[in-house]
Each structure stands twice: as structure tokens, then as C-alpha cells.
Amino acid sequence: MWGKVAVVGGGPAGLFLARLIRGARPDARVDVYERNAPHEANGFGVVFSARTMSRLRRSDPETHARIVRASVTVSDMELRHPRATLRYGGFDFSSISRQTLLTILQEQAASAGAVLHFGHHAAPGSLDDADVVVYADGANSAQRDARPERFGTTVRYGASPYLWLGTEAPFDAATFAFVATGHGHFAAHAYPYAEGLTTVVVETDPATWQASGMDRPADHTRNPGGSDEASLERLSELFADHLGGHKLLGNRSRWATFRIVRNARWSEGNAVLLGDAAHTAHFTVGSGTKLAMEDAIALAAALDRDADPRAAFAAYERERRALVTRTQEWAEPSMRWWETFGRRLHMAPAQFGLHFMTRTSALTYEGLRRRFADRVDEAEEAYRTAGGTAARPGAAFGPAHGVAAPLLLGSVRLPNRLVEVVPEECDDPAAAVRAAGARGAGLVLLRGARTLPRPDVAVGSVLRPERGGGGAAARETAARTAPLFAEVACPAADAWGPAGDELTATVRALVARGCEGVLLTPDPAPSTDRAPGSRTDSAPGPAAGTRTDPGTGPGSRTGTAAGTRTDPGIGSPADPVPVRAAGTRTGPVGDPAARWHALLGHAERVRTETGAVVAVPVPDGWALDLPGSTGGDAWPTRIHLALVTGRIDLVVSAAPTVTRPAVPAAG
């Protein structure tokens, strides 16, 4: 039987765990060791989703009631694009001052009989004599990092510098403001957490951060625990239109990059990891404190059920790991979106907003329409207006679908976004082109350098270029056939990592050699007949600008901000699971949803950075349904959203192969 529990870290997770354990086992001794003083909280506000609040209520109604009384409820998001302001409803969450939350949890833990030791720095290993030792000392856990091999700890860093601030400016919604400067773009995430008080998280890309001069180390010699006052003053000026005459406020606020923490094992011996010490998820999905307190609920319940701490630890990890992993998977594309938001601000505001709302696949098309149909309508109208409104008569899709919108491709106006590809082994390409046109294709691509006399449908060529460029064959074909596409296989690795860098450079070279578009197909498993220039990267690599070793803040110039947390932001979600595209090249063995998201990530980056028109393969038969008509997150809605939000330009369905009739054997 365990009876003595030592909790290192007096944050929300450690304090809540102490109260829950004492409530379930009044005979247990629970000590919490916190290096700071009781009222020495860093940061401003934290957020809880409605679902998390329900879990808190079930596990501890009294603490839940106190948190509710001290919280504010927000139900809207407001996106402030430089050219328009858009409002999105239906996102209920609660926010509370971090200091207020800690005070409540301190009082609740103490009232349950936990012993709280403030101003106590517990040296690694100094509490190992307890039956249960809980490491709840945050993403920078000294206890965990003293022997990282115990837990299989890995830490990497996001690319974007961010600064956690506050303001007295009034906000009545979770607000995302974007401003342009001569150096680049800055974004602010703002949400109210108390009467007249708002949390503000400012972030930007590394190039803008450096060009603006904010990368220079702040002078903290006079106030070592202070904020980066120079950046505070400059950012107050940049966001003046959104602050209504108020200033940004600091609380030990310094630039940092986000630490992505993962552990292969959450426990070893009598020690167990809790909250940010075990895992982090990027603050733009608002899950830091949420995950930590839900961890506390699960660990307390596991210890109550089992007298053997090791068995309880295993049960706790089994219950929580899948949920945490899923949240981390949702957080990754959200982090990438915010690291690259400046690349999309040229989009129509409504399309930009829909792109933002679909960055994590948190909402299905039906969910988007249920919450804010008017915003979806505006995005779809902006998309149709950009390419015209006429759909090709007789096509297999309805005019409401994104694939029905025309596209100006060089000097050729395509009546819709549907593409068919005629294989090189086709003996009657003219017949294949006519058949594709009859099926509704707006563009037919011929593999190889072949031309047809005056076809009734737009016809181009698709080549498999040599690595790095089109070469003589591409230039010759470009002179005879328009438009010219190059088929390039994309890696399964991160679009913003080294593999994505190389793919983008390859397409940029192809564009310089006369290609107008790229047929971007999932990379197959390595084989001898791979297309020249295709890739075989199958394992994710580090994102450009990230670190995979323990280190310091942005560009290794500053350390992680003292007291920075993983709380600001809102989001959460449900990944679609695409099916295999019939008649197309398939990606490497693995999760089909991951392959689809990897493909879209590369497509969007290539499209944005090279100017190439991007076509991607999709399953046959998908276009027979309109968006949302099949329920859930089916192929029609996935493809529709990818088009409307500007992640792709064209979709490719495989054409039936046209070959010679079989010749009977002689005799």
C-alpha cells in the first residue's frame, strides 16, 4: 500500500492532484513542493473548454463551482484580417486568471489536507523516498531532465517566436488580429479572462522577428525578473488600432519558442510525469492547462483503484496517452499554420478565415455550416468570384461544389477544376480525350510529348522531369503544347521541413523552365520505376527553423520565457480518414489520413511559394455527391474545402485506360 506522495510543482495539475488524492485517501500524506511563493504566478489567463469544465465538475463539484464563479465565458471568435473583420460563433469556453486559478487550487488542496511547501526547490532525486513521486514541474522539468533516459524524453522547438502578454483593453471575443509592417507580419491572440483584463499572445515568423530588431537580447541587468520592455513598447504601437489606447502589459514576458515535449514512458519506478512534464501541445489549440488537469483526474483515479503505484501508473498512461497523442497531432498543423500565416494574408478575408478554421480538421463542413453558415457562404462566393461562376453543363458535380469553378490557366480558361490524365500506353489518345470531355473533365493531360488536332477540351502535357528541372524534353513540349505540367511525387514528411524545402525548390525550378502546373502525387514506396525527381522521404523530419535537441529560445538567442505556459489559444478536432484513390499512385504504407494531410500540406506550400497551379489525385466517383450531402467528413467535402480554402487548384480522377484489343493467339 502506498501512503506517502510527493508532488514536485505547485501548478494547476500538481495542486489539483493533491486535492483529489486526499479526497479519495484521507489517510495518505501528500506534500506539494513549489519553488515560487503562493502569489508569484507568471502569465495572465488560461482557458478551459466546456468539455473540460464538465470533467472538473464530475471529479470535484466544489472546486468546479469556485472556478466557474471566477471565470468569464466567451462564445465567439473574431478574426481581424487587414482588410476585414469576421465574427465566428459557437465556440464556448471559459477563461480565468492564472493567479486566481492557482489561489483556488492552493486553498482547495490545503483544505483537503495536503501540505504545501512554497519557496522550496526540490533537487532532483531528493524526494525519491516517497511511495509516489509526481513530477509536475512543467515543460522545463528539472526532475525529468536530470535523467531523461528514464522516460525517453524528446524536446524540439517550434519556429515562431512568441511573447505572452496582457492588456486592459476590452475584448468580448477570442480575437485574432493581424498587422503588416515594413519588416513582415505580426499576429496577436487575445481573449478576456477577467473584468477589464485580456491575455494577448503575440507571435511572428523568425525573419520578421529578426528584421524588426526584436531578436536582440533585452537588457535585464537592472531587473533580472522583468519583461522585454523594448518589445512591449514596440508591439503596443504596432497593435494600437486593436488596443483602443491601452498598452500591452508584461509579467516576466520574454520572447520564446514553443517546446514540444514527448516522452516514450510516463513513469519509471516510483516516479510519474504529469501535465507539461509529460507532454505539451501548441498553445494555439488551448490545451495546456486542460490536459494537465485532466491528467490529474486520471492519475488520482488510477491510484485510488490500485494499491500498487506501478500498476496505477500504467493504467493512467493507458487512459491518457491516446487522447494526448491525438491532441498533439491536432496541434502540429495549427502550429504550422501560425508559423506561416503571413503567406496567406493575400487571400480574400473570408477564404483566409475559412482556411484558419480548417487548419486542424477540427470541424467538418457540416459543423462549419451549423456554426456560421454566413461565413462559409462568403468564402465560397469569394472563391467562385475569383474564377468565375459558370459550371460545365453535364458535369458529374453540381454547381455548388468547388470543382465546378472555372480557372484561368495561363491563356487557357478551364470550365472547371476536374482533370483526367491519359497514360502513355494509351493507343488512341484522341478517343481518350473525347471520353474525358464527355465525362465532364475541364482539362485532360497527356503523359509524354504528344499533341492532338483541335480537341474540344483543354489538353496539356504532363511529364516526369529529371530531378531538379524540366530539361530539353520539357522545353520542347512547352513550345508545342499548353499547358505543361510536371508530375512530382511528394514526401510523407513535414511540408515545412527539409523534405518540403527540397520539393518546393524542385517545383520552383520547373516553373522557371516553363511548367505552369504540377501534378503532385503521394510518394510510393521506393522502387526502380519511380519518376525522376520524385522522393522517398517517409519519416517526418524537423520543421525548418526548429531544433531537435534541448536548447534555448528563438534562434538560440534567448531562453524560454520564465513562467511561460502552454495555455493560450482555442481549438480541437477530428481528422478525416481518406480512402485510397482508385487508379492513382498511392503513398507509402501508413495511415491514409496522414498521407492526405501531408499531400495537402505540400500542395499548399508549393502553390503559395512557387506560383504553380497544383493538381492532386482523388478517388474516382467522389464528385457524385455535393458537399455535406453524405454526412460526416466524406470525400466531396474534403475536396471542396481544399479547393475553397486555396490549398489546391485542381483535382485528378483517373481515366479508364484505353488499349488495343487483345489479339487471339495463332491457331
Side-chain angles (χ1 to χ4, degrees):
M1 289 291 293
W2 56 269
K4 184 179 180 181
V5 179
V7 180
V8 183
L15 291 168
F16 196 43
L17 175 69
R19 174 172 171 81
L20 294 176
I21 290 177
R22 282 287 302 177
R25 297 278 188 92
D27 57 331
R29 177 176 176 91
V30 181
D31 291 89
V32 179
Y33 299 89
E34 169 57 43
R35 64 180 180 178
N36 293 324
H39 301 294
E40 194 180 351
N42 301 309
F44 296 89
V46 298
V47 298
F48 294 119
S49 67
R51 182 175 299 177
T52 299
M53 292 298 285
S54 295
R55 290 173 179 167
L56 295 179
R57 183 180 63 247
R58 291 195 298 271
S59 63
D60 186 351
E62 181 182 324
T63 300
H64 169 266
R66 291 194 62 183
I67 292 173
V68 168
R69 288 194 295 270
S71 300
V72 298
T73 301
V74 180
S75 60
D76 286 356
M77 291 187 189
E78 185 168 284
L79 189 148
R80 298 181 181 178
H81 186 278
R83 301 195 301 275
T85 296
L86 304 172
R87 194 88 166 190
Y88 300 84
F91 294 94
D92 291 337
F93 68 94
S94 299
S95 58
I96 184 173
S97 160
R98 177 172 167 77
Q99 179 61 75
T100 301
L101 175 64
L102 287 174
T103 299
I104 291 171
L105 294 174
Q106 289 165 5
E107 294 172 356
Q108 292 294 94
S111 69
V115 181
L116 310 183
H117 306 268
F118 292 103
H120 185 111
H121 177 71
S126 62
L127 303 173
D128 287 353
D129 60 338
D131 299 317
V132 173
V133 184
V134 181
Y135 298 158
D137 50 341
N140 301 315
S141 173
Q143 302 288 330
R144 178 202 64 213
D145 290 347
R147 286 185 288 169
E149 70 282 354
R150 296 176 68 190
F151 305 102
T153 305
T154 61
V155 179
R156 63 187 179 92
Y157 289 79
S160 289
Y162 72 94
L163 198 62
W164 196 8
L165 308 167
T167 184
E168 295 178 351
F171 287 86
D172 65 349
T175 302
F176 306 98
F178 303 88
V179 298
T181 73
H183 304 295
H185 298 91
F186 287 82
H189 317 233
Y191 56 90
Y193 65 88
E195 185 66 33
L197 295 172
T198 298
T199 293
V200 180
V201 183
V202 175
E203 66 176 311
T204 187
D205 61 87
T208 301
W209 182 62
Q210 292 167 4
S212 67
M214 295 189 201
D215 64 324
R216 300 186 184 97
D219 181 6
H220 298 296
T221 55
R222 297 182 182 178
N223 184 11
S227 299
D228 185 340
E229 297 297 339
S231 291
L232 271 173
E233 182 177 351
R234 180 67 179 127
L235 292 171
S236 292
E237 295 172 357
L238 292 179
F239 287 95
D241 290 344
H242 303 280
L243 296 173
H246 293 272
K247 297 293 184 181
L248 291 170
L249 308 173
N251 182 354
R252 303 184 186 182
S253 303
R254 305 181 193 180
W255 290 103
T257 46
F258 188 78
R259 290 169 59 93
I260 305 164
V261 175
R262 290 184 170 87
N263 287 278
R265 298 168 296 282
W266 290 4
S267 64
E268 196 273 338
N270 65 338
V272 62
L273 302 176
L274 189 71
D276 287 352
H279 48 72
T280 61
H282 196 251
F283 57 78
T284 55
V285 295
S287 294
T289 303
K290 159 195 164 63
L291 290 177
M293 294 190 69
E294 290 177 353
D295 279 358
I297 294 171
L299 180 55
L303 287 168
D304 184 41
R305 290 192 303 266
D306 206 311
D308 179 1
R310 290 165 179 77
F313 297 163
Y316 151 68
E317 184 172 347
R318 281 195 303 272
E319 177 182 343
R320 295 292 297 159
R321 182 174 283 279
L323 294 170
V324 167
T325 299
R326 185 172 61 183
T327 301
Q328 289 180 315
E329 289 172 350
W330 294 333
E332 188 79 14
S334 183
M335 180 178 73
R336 298 289 177 230
W337 192 96
W338 283 103
E339 289 176 349
T340 57
F341 70 87
R343 305 169 193 250
R344 304 180 190 89
L345 284 170
H346 67 281
M347 298 173 70
Q351 285 181 280
F352 179 85
L354 191 61
H355 196 293
F356 167 67
M357 289 298 173
T358 57
R359 71 195 187 282
T360 65
S361 300
L363 295 170
T364 64
Y365 184 83
E366 292 173 327
L368 293 165
R369 283 209 156 275
R370 185 169 57 252
R371 291 173 186 245
F372 35 80
D374 52 344
R375 297 282 86 89
V376 177
D377 288 341
E378 290 169 358
E380 291 174 338
E381 180 61 24
Y383 167 75
R384 286 191 292 266
T385 300
T389 56
R392 183 182 177 90
F397 39 79
H401 199 288
V403 81
L407 175 68
L408 186 62
L409 181 55
S411 61
V412 179
R413 182 176 176 81
L414 305 182
N416 60 59
R417 308 296 182 99
L418 184 63
V419 180
E420 286 196 15
V421 179
V422 177
E424 286 186 78
E425 60 269 24
C426 175
D427 293 317
D428 191 351
V433 169
R434 288 194 297 271
R439 285 189 292 270
L443 173 66
V444 181
L445 296 176
L446 302 175
R447 291 195 189 278
R450 295 179 290 176
T451 59
L452 294 176
R454 302 176 62 87
D456 294 330
V457 62
V459 176
S461 293
V462 57
L463 302 178
R464 294 181 175 181
E466 299 88 0
R467 180 178 293 276
R475 289 193 293 273
E476 178 185 351
T477 305
R480 295 188 290 116
T481 307
L484 176 67
F485 276 64
E487 181 179 13
V488 181
C490 80
D494 183 5
W496 301 102
D501 295 343
E502 186 175 343
L503 174 65
T504 303
T506 297
V507 176
R508 188 177 290 113
L510 291 168
V511 171
R513 288 164 171 76
C515 287
E516 294 179 79
V518 57
L519 173 55
L520 198 61
T521 56
D523 195 14
S527 66
T528 57
D529 61 351
R530 286 172 51 246
S534 62
R535 299 181 45 79
T536 58
D537 310 64
S538 58
T546 65
R547 296 170 51 92
T548 55
D549 58 307
T552 53
S556 302
R557 298 288 299 270
T558 60
T560 300
T564 55
R565 309 290 301 178
T566 58
D567 306 305
I570 299 135
S572 42
D575 276 347
V577 182
V579 297
R580 178 171 173 170
T584 64
R585 298 172 67 192
T586 58
V589 176
D591 177 33
R595 291 201 303 271
W596 171 248
H597 287 302
L599 181 63
L600 286 188
H602 286 287
E604 180 183 4
R605 181 176 179 188
V606 164
R607 182 181 185 273
T608 300
E609 296 189 18
T610 70
V613 171
V614 176
V616 300
V618 297
D620 298 332
W622 64 269
L624 300 179
D625 297 307
L626 296 179
S629 65
T630 57
D633 191 25
W635 270 108
T637 57
R638 294 181 195 131
I639 296 165
H640 177 75
L641 283 175
L643 287 164
V644 171
T645 57
R647 291 176 167 91
I648 59 175
D649 296 290
L650 298 163
V651 296
V652 181
S653 284
T657 300
V658 182
T659 60
R660 289 194 188 96
V663 179

